[in-house]
């Protein structure tokens, strides 16, 4: 093989290698852009105001903080059952509630900024 053929082959293989690398890089960019668009869509969907109405048991009423502590059942798509405090839209909502009472309450807001907008006593099943 003459020298010029060797040089040509080396250049050719170098060119093909660069081309393949460039194509792979381009594909990666397209994939990343698609992932970014998906992540942005999910992030904006998460910032949407939501409403849930679930059951719970009153554990404490903290008027100073405008908070009611409830043991709540599963809040679909947000959190499992647990005992925690919720801010209440207005004090009138928890007036007359007693510890241990079963309630059905409505949570509204953009998670995790939720407020109880309605709460009603429920008869024990
Ligand atoms: Cu919770």
């Amino acid at each position: 093989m003459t020298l010029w053929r060797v040089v040509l082959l080396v250049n050719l293989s170098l060119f093909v290698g660069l081309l393949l690398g460039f194509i792979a890089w381009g594909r990666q960019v397209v994939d990343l852009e698609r992932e970014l668009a998906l992540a942005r869509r999910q992030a904006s969907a998460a910032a949407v105001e939501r409403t849930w109405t679930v059951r719970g048991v009153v554990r404490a009423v903290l008027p100073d903080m405008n908070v009611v502590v409830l043991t709540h059942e599963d809040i679909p798509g947000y959190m499992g059952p647990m005992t925690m405090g919720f801010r209440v839209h207005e004090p009138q909502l928890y007036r007359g509630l007693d510890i241990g009472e079963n309630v059905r309450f409505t949570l509204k807001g953009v998670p995790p900024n939720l407020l109880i907008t309605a709460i009603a006593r429920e008869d024990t099943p």
Side-chain angles (χ1 to χ4, degrees):
M1 219 188 283
T2 54
L3 184 63
W4 71 268
R5 277 187 172 158
V6 172
V7 170
L8 190 70
L9 275 176
V10 167
N11 279 342
L12 205 65
S13 57
L14 202 67
F15 175 74
V16 169
L18 280 173
L19 191 71
L20 288 177
F22 192 71
I23 289 170
W25 175 67
R27 276 211 190 119
Q28 216 173 355
V29 168
V30 170
D31 285 348
L32 284 173
E33 273 172 356
R34 201 178 304 138
E35 262 174 58
L36 183 67
L38 182 72
R40 281 198 179 131
R41 230 174 299 136
Q42 283 171 342
S44 62
V48 158
E49 188 181 81
R50 303 199 56 182
T51 304
W52 291 273
T53 298
V54 293
R55 283 201 200 88
V57 180
V58 180
R59 298 303 180 193
V61 178
L62 312 170
D64 293 346
M65 296 163 71
N66 221 25
V67 161
V68 173
V69 179
L70 294 160
T71 300
H72 66 77
E73 64 178 12
D74 184 58
I75 301 176
Y78 185 51
M79 57 170 83
M82 72 177 83
T83 299
M84 65 182 279
F86 289 101
R87 287 185 303 126
V88 181
H89 180 58
E90 48 179 354
Q92 203 147 328
L93 291 170
Y94 51 74
R95 206 162 285 157
L97 279 184
D98 286 321
I99 310 301
E101 266 184 323
N102 293 291
V103 292
R104 180 178 279 272
F105 62 100
T106 300
L107 273 178
K108 198 173 182 179
V110 179
N113 290 312
L114 298 171
L115 276 180
I116 291 182
T117 57
I119 185 162
R121 244 176 240 113
E122 203 179 45
D123 295 325
T124 326

